[in-house]
Amino acid sequence: MAVSAPVPATPLLAVEGLRLAATASGTPVPLLDGVSLTVGRGESVAIVGESGSGKSLTMRAAMGLLPDGVEVTGGTVRLDGTDLGTLPPRERAALRGHRMSLLLQDPFTMLHPQLTCGRQIADGLRPGFAAPGGGRARRAAVRAEVVRRLAEVGLDAAVADRHPHELSGGMRQRVATAAALAGDPDLLIADEPTTALDAANRRAVLDLLGELRARRGMGLVLVTHDLRAAFSAGDRVHVLYAGQILEQGPATRLHTVPGHPYTAALLAAEPSLTERYAELPALPGSVPPPGSRGSGCPFADRCPHTAGLCRTTPLLATPVPGAPQDPPHLTACLRAAELGPGLAPVRRTVVERGGEEEGDPEPAPEQAALHLRGLHRVFRSPAGDHTALHEVDLTVRRGQIVALAGESGSGKTTLARIAAGLESADRGTCVVGGVPLTAGRRPTTAERRRLASRVQIVFQDPYSSLNPLRDVGATLREALTATRGRLPRAEADAEVARLLDQVRLPASYARRRPAALSGGERQRVAVARALAARPELLICDEAVAALDVSVQAQLLSLLGQLRDSEGFAVLFITHDLAVVRQLADRAVVMHRGRVVEQGPAARVLDRPEHPWTRRMLDGHLTP
Amino acid sequence: MSTPPPPVPPAPGVAARLGAALPPRYVARRLAGTAVLLVVLSAAVFALLQLAPGDPARTLLGARGATPEALAEVRARHHLDQPVLVQYGHWLGDLLRLDLGTSIRTGESVASALGDRALLTCQLVGLGFATALLLGLPLGVLAAFRERRPTDRAVQGLGVVTLSTPAFASGLALIYVCALMLGWFPAYGAGEGGLDRLRHLVLPAVTLGLAVMAVLLKLTRAAVVRELARDHVTFARARGVGPRTVLFRYVLRGAAVPVTAGAALVLAYLLAGTVMVETVFALPGLGPLLVDSITFRDLPVVQAVALAVATLVCLANLAADLAQPLLDPRLRTPAPTPKAAR
């Protein structure tokens, strides 16, 4: 993409020194500390940051849609030179949709479930275009326009009469895009538009946004925590951390010669599709929460290059030494000049993993951690039967990490739920750690108890899989009791401390409630809870998909180490093939309820045999 | 943009839309369910006679002299000498012909005793329900839009006051202020014919409505607060949908499903709650009749009133059930997901 066009005198969107604070608790807690950025017409700007960095709030502030309890405490937002902060609310509202529009993250909640897609697109159309005369003629004109808008995002006219729940996630995101653009805005802000989608849809939605931006000549802001999405779709990238911009510049430069240790660390923590590393260099710790940020660099506590001055000197964006001037490449790192090329992406050791070879003899069913043969499951409903699993054969050896990859709806989760005894198969053999499960019915209580010591599961969302009312210690003690019976209190406490130590959390966390933990810490607690039963098989259902890059790297390393020390097998469900490369010994690809390909992970990724595997590899975003 | 306009399929017609929104199979299932429920209810009501202590024939004779001839005559008329199932069959058959038997206390037919009173009670409940809706829904929406601000607290406080005031207290207060002091409305009685009846029913209906208004208010407030926090409302605002459209089409549409289900329950509660209001305002409705009949062990009347009230409650629930798929398309065709199958 051409990035050489000079930024005109008045950019489309100019945010300058924006400060936000949470005011709900009386004393304002700063959330955003002087963020500045510009977006030109036809330009695509990415804002990348981990959760808690303030990236979404920046854009909500630009839209004038801040949640209750968050206020602008300084700085300006200008659209075409007009200071939006000085506009009365009514005029500001009139800009939304027609001058600037916002696309949200989750296609499953963004559209109104009770309204047809056509209705929702029509509601955002400019009022002026409709044909003269009322009633029938007007309705026909609106409908024709809606159909044209659907065609623009690559959807069929019939979608207009569908309700959102009748469409797939990718189609919903397209409908939402058409709705966001219905008022023909000059600027589209997309807030994590790809996070809730699987790999193939991710690529398609980013391509669509890029295409629409080019065709309409509009400005595009892409807010994301996904580095690959940011670097592949943004002309320029801003790296936001704890409410401040640490680095900004052209995407290609940031990717190859990062000017800030944080950017370098993020890039290093990203697993690669083509190479497996001995270790993903994970960032220690997590983003400092609002209110506990000092006057210096917010990254100082996690940075490997911190010097004394870093903690006291306020941030100032300076050009990266040796970088071209236009467009500028700025860094907020004090030591950028002395560190210089030391910031180039951390070198990671590439390993060739032996693991299982093709043609190794199959273990006997009782000897495997998981043994599935001819597993079949159909969900019946008045709307039609849905075959979730079609004659699936799968073996997980003891101590092996098997990745189960596929798009959403391919049957991965159903398979996991059957293996965990949460769901029943219609027919087929399922032996989990030597315990056979009967097809056609759920396990009995006795079977379930035996099963619990063989298989445990970690779910995707660490925010909903832990009971918010119980502290971590109580959650873990309960898991211990479930499989080993009631233990004396002192023994149980010692076990809880050991479990927390296993997942690298301090023992003091036993007294914390989930609300006091970050997403990564919660997921560690979920892993500890699963390990309490000392299972032979650990099922991870998209367990890292909701986490930030640095936290994902921590958890992937942890899982690998635990597997080596504890010797359990892992069935790792994911739609991210780079994670498969980094973690798995063996890869299994599912499509529409069938296993279409399986083999050693390196072979499947390097020499895919099934077209669907190739499609998934093509859909993978590369910066 | 000069792409050729794509062909526009016609919008589905009203009949097709209604057919899709209210699938005949769903309606049939709901109707069948209600019918089964009504049969079970009728059996339970019929069992009242069998369960009453003592000989059913003596119960039916009441205070009249229980001569052997009289007992034999009652037994023959009510088929009491036949098996219980046959008795039930005869009773149900009479019921369908609206022959509800004879009142023990007055000797007149139950149907004629019930007729006018049932009409009055229905009018009262209808007006009371309308009052509760007209007060509860707008106040609930208002409180939700002003969540945790003084207006919200005031509205919720008002709700608690009306909920915790017993109907006889608020009824007497209304009579004192609006009837005796201001003279706007009559203090008691049912009035004659159309408008006069309406004038007489205003105060009782307000009393009845106030008592349940708070339930609807709380339901509506909770539903609207939840809707306002949803992504689709933020998204509608962000893409410039007008505030009025956002309120009516996005927020209230979403809140309608739980509020409708709750309203049906409130209606059922109102039917049962008329007794006190009818007594306070000296209205000759079903309430006083029921109280008198229970006191006098007038079983046929008790059975008829119980059945009438139960039927109305069933129908209210049926209406609410049929409204659900109209309001929420996700309930029309259960999607074949693992979640729906579980």
Side-chain angles (χ1 to χ4, degrees), chain A residues 181-436:
Chain A
L181 296 180
D184 298 319
D186 305 320
L187 174 71
L188 177 67
I189 299 169
D191 189 355
E192 303 267 12
T194 57
T195 306
L197 303 175
D198 55 30
N201 279 320
R202 238 172 240 206
R203 176 71 166 261
V205 164
L206 285 182
D207 287 351
L208 173 71
L209 288 176
E211 203 184 293
L212 289 169
R213 171 183 65 90
R215 199 184 317 149
R216 289 167 166 258
M218 65 179 181
L220 175 68
V221 180
L222 184 71
V223 180
T224 182
H225 76 270
D226 183 348
L227 291 176
R228 282 177 292 203
F231 284 114
S232 69
D235 298 335
R236 289 190 294 123
V237 174
H238 292 71
V239 179
L240 198 60
Y241 184 83
Q244 307 194 54
I245 289 183
L246 295 189
E247 184 174 5
Q248 65 179 83
T252 42
R253 269 197 65 87
L254 249 72
H255 183 235
T256 47
V257 274
H260 196 284
Y262 177 59
T263 316
L266 278 184
L267 288 167
E270 182 79 33
S272 150
L273 183 62
T274 49
E275 289 171 335
R276 179 173 182 139
Y277 304 116
E279 174 108 40
L280 279 181
L283 276 168
S286 54
V287 185
S292 67
R293 298 166 185 171
S295 56
C297 176
F299 186 58
D301 284 339
R302 302 171 75 187
C303 180
H305 310 290
T306 306
L309 274 178
C310 292
R311 297 183 194 276
T312 49
T313 317
L315 293 190
L316 182 69
T318 51
V320 172
Q325 283 306 300
D326 192 37
H329 181 184
L330 305 177
T331 174
C333 184
L334 266 185
R335 308 185 61 212
E338 47 182 305
L339 293 172
L343 283 180
V346 183
R347 280 192 68 84
R348 300 171 289 188
T349 337
V350 179
V351 288
E352 284 300 324
R353 189 162 177 119
E356 176 206 344
E357 293 301 321
E358 205 116 35
D360 276 4
E362 277 280 317
E366 308 76 50
Q367 294 304 315
L370 178 68
H371 174 89
L372 306 175
R373 285 295 173 275
L375 206 66
H376 204 83
R377 180 69 166 107
V378 178
F379 290 112
R380 295 177 200 289
S381 85
D385 293 353
H386 169 72
T387 308
L389 294 179
H390 194 93
E391 308 293 342
V392 168
D393 296 345
L394 179 72
T395 306
V396 179
R397 292 151 196 265
R398 296 212 164 154
Q400 190 182 37
I401 300 185
V402 174
L404 189 57
E407 61 177 351
S408 38
S410 60
K412 313 184 296 275
T413 294
T414 305
L415 191 151
R417 293 180 59 87
I418 292 176
L422 298 170
E423 186 72 64
S424 64
D426 292 335
R427 60 170 190 272
T429 320
C430 173
V431 185
V432 186
V435 179

Side-chain angles (χ1 to χ4, degrees), chain A residues 109 112 114 120 123 143, chain B residues 9 231 239 249-250 253 327:
Chain A
T109 61
H112 198 297
Q114 286 147 268
Q120 301 193 54
D123 280 342
R143 195 169 166 79
Chain B
D231 272 358
R239 59 185 211 266
R249 196 172 284 156
Y250 288 78
R253 181 83 197 249
L327 293 170

Side-chain angles (χ1 to χ4, degrees), chain A residues 60 63 65 68 93 96-98 100-106 109-115 119-121 123-124 140 143-145 147-148 151-152 157-158 161 163 165-166 175-177 179-181 183-184 215-216 377 379-386 388 414 417 422-423 442, chain B residues 1-12 17 20-21 25 29 145 147 149 227 230-243 245-246 248-258 324 326-342:
Chain A
R60 294 283 167 109
M63 290 296 298
L65 289 171
D68 278 349
R96 290 199 282 266
H98 307 315
M100 58 201 306
S101 195
L102 176 71
L103 186 64
L104 301 179
Q105 167 176 354
D106 190 348
T109 61
M110 200 185 348
L111 294 170
H112 198 297
Q114 286 147 268
L115 300 174
R119 175 82 261 155
Q120 301 193 54
I121 294 171
D123 280 342
R143 195 169 166 79
E145 186 64 16
V147 168
R148 206 178 65 71
E152 189 184 3
D161 299 317
H163 288 95
H165 72 278
E166 298 170 290
V175 170
T177 306
L181 296 180
D184 298 319
R215 199 184 317 149
R216 289 167 166 258
R377 180 69 166 107
F379 290 112
R380 295 177 200 289
S381 85
D385 293 353
H386 169 72
T414 305
R417 293 180 59 87
L422 298 170
E423 186 72 64
R442 305 268 183 94
Chain B
M1 274 158 268
S2 57
T3 41
V8 181
R17 282 218 307 267
R25 273 179 67 180
R29 247 202 332 266
F145 271 82
E147 195 197 352
R149 300 209 194 124
E227 286 302 313
R230 291 215 201 271
D231 272 358
H232 61 67
V233 172
T234 309
F235 184 46
R237 284 182 180 151
R239 59 185 211 266
V241 179
T245 314
V246 169
F248 285 101
R249 196 172 284 156
Y250 288 78
V251 177
L252 293 191
R253 181 83 197 249
V257 174
Q324 299 289 313
L326 281 177
L327 293 170
D328 192 344
R330 283 167 301 176
L331 301 172
R332 290 171 201 164
T333 47
T337 61
K339 280 197 181 109
R342 223 178 296 145

Side-chain angles (χ1 to χ4, degrees), chain A residues 439-457:
Chain A
R441 64 166 173 85
R442 305 268 183 94
T444 61
T445 317
E447 281 175 330
R448 205 181 284 282
R449 193 161 296 145
R450 281 183 68 205
L451 202 59
S453 62
R454 310 294 156 89
V455 57
Q456 287 287 325
I457 188 163

